[in-house]
Amino acid sequence: MTVFKILQYPDPRLQRKGRHVIEIDDRIREIIKNMFETHYSSENCAALAATQLDMPDPPYITVIDFSDKKNEPICLINGEITDHSGEMYEDEGCMSVRGIYEKVKRFSTVSVRALDESGKTITFTATGFMAKCIQHELDHLNGRIFIDKLSAFKRLRVDRKIQKTRA
Ligand code: NI
C-alpha cells in the first residue's frame, strides 16, 4: 500500500491531464487501490483525482467517498459528463488548495458515463453534492482546479491569501 503525496497549488503538475485508460491492468488496479488508501488516510477528503497526486503519467481516474462511515467507495475511470441541467452556486474546497473555500458555479444535475474498476460501463445521474464532486474531479483530470473558475478579482485575493499562509 502506498499513500500518495497530494500535490499542493501552485504545483504546475496540477495542470496535467489524465491519460485515458485503455486497459485496466495491474498497474491501474494498484493505482486505484493506492488512491483509495490516500483518500481514506486524508482528513475531510471527499474525492481525489489521479492528476492531483504525486505520480508519473496519472490515469483518468477519480475515487470518491463522502459517506460518514467511508464505506461507499466509487471509482470512475474515463468518466465523462454526457448531459447536464440546472445550476448551483456553492462553496467548494480542494485537498490541493487547503484552507480555501469559494463559491463556484456548477451544474446541479449531471449524467455520467464511466468505467468501473472491473471495466464495466456504468451510467448514472448525480445531483447535489455528488454532482458538484464529479464536476470538480473531472476538472482536475483536465488540468483545472476550482479556483480557475473564479473571477480575476477573487482569484487574486485567493492567491494573495495562499502566498501569505506560506510566507
Ligand atoms: Ni480538488
Side-chain angles (χ1 to χ4, degrees):
M1 290 284 192
T2 308
V3 171
F4 291 113
K5 195 177 137 227
I6 301 175
L7 303 177
Q8 293 302 306
Y9 176 79
D11 192 315
R13 286 175 292 173
L14 288 167
Q15 294 165 31
R16 296 178 300 175
K17 291 185 165 82
R19 186 191 288 268
H20 277 79
V21 176
I22 310 286
E23 190 195 348
I24 301 172
D25 55 14
D26 286 347
R27 172 181 172 261
I28 293 296
R29 275 188 286 271
E30 182 74 12
I31 286 175
I32 293 169
K33 199 172 71 178
N34 291 333
M35 284 178 73
F36 275 116
E37 190 73 6
T38 307
H39 179 304
Y40 291 129
S41 68
S42 310
E43 225 172 293
N44 295 320
C45 186
L48 288 173
T51 45
Q52 72 183 125
L53 302 173
D54 185 9
M55 70 172 92
D57 198 16
Y60 208 95
I61 296 177
T62 178
V63 297
I64 302 171
D65 190 347
F66 49 83
S67 64
D68 286 340
K69 291 183 178 166
K70 302 286 177 205
N71 58 357
E72 294 170 26
I74 297 168
C75 172
L76 302 180
I77 302 171
N78 299 348
E80 56 179 328
I81 290 169
T82 55
D83 201 5
H84 60 80
S85 64
E87 249 182 32
M88 59 181 167
Y89 189 59
E90 286 180 13
D91 266 342
E92 227 163 276
C94 180
M95 299 304 288
S96 292
V97 195
R98 283 179 213 259
I100 302 293
Y101 298 90
E102 293 286 342
K103 283 191 165 38
V104 172
K105 204 189 276 182
R106 298 285 187 190
F107 302 124
S108 54
T109 302
V110 290
S111 300
V112 181
R113 180 167 57 210
L115 300 177
D116 70 8
E117 286 177 74
S118 67
K120 201 178 76 186
T121 299
I122 50 171
T123 57
F124 59 96
T125 299
T127 59
F129 191 84
M130 181 61 96
K132 176 168 93 171
C133 202
I134 288 171
Q135 290 168 83
H136 179 116
E137 298 312 317
L138 294 184
D139 273 358
H140 270 303
L141 292 170
N142 285 301
R144 292 190 300 263
I145 47 178
F146 80 109
I147 56 174
D148 293 340
K149 294 173 73 76
L150 299 175
S151 68
F153 174 76
K154 277 194 183 168
R155 176 61 179 264
L156 194 63
R157 207 184 58 195
V158 164
D159 279 329
R160 285 212 181 110
K161 189 175 170 187
I162 290 169
Q163 274 169 7
K164 223 180 263 179
T165 54
R166 283 164 177 248

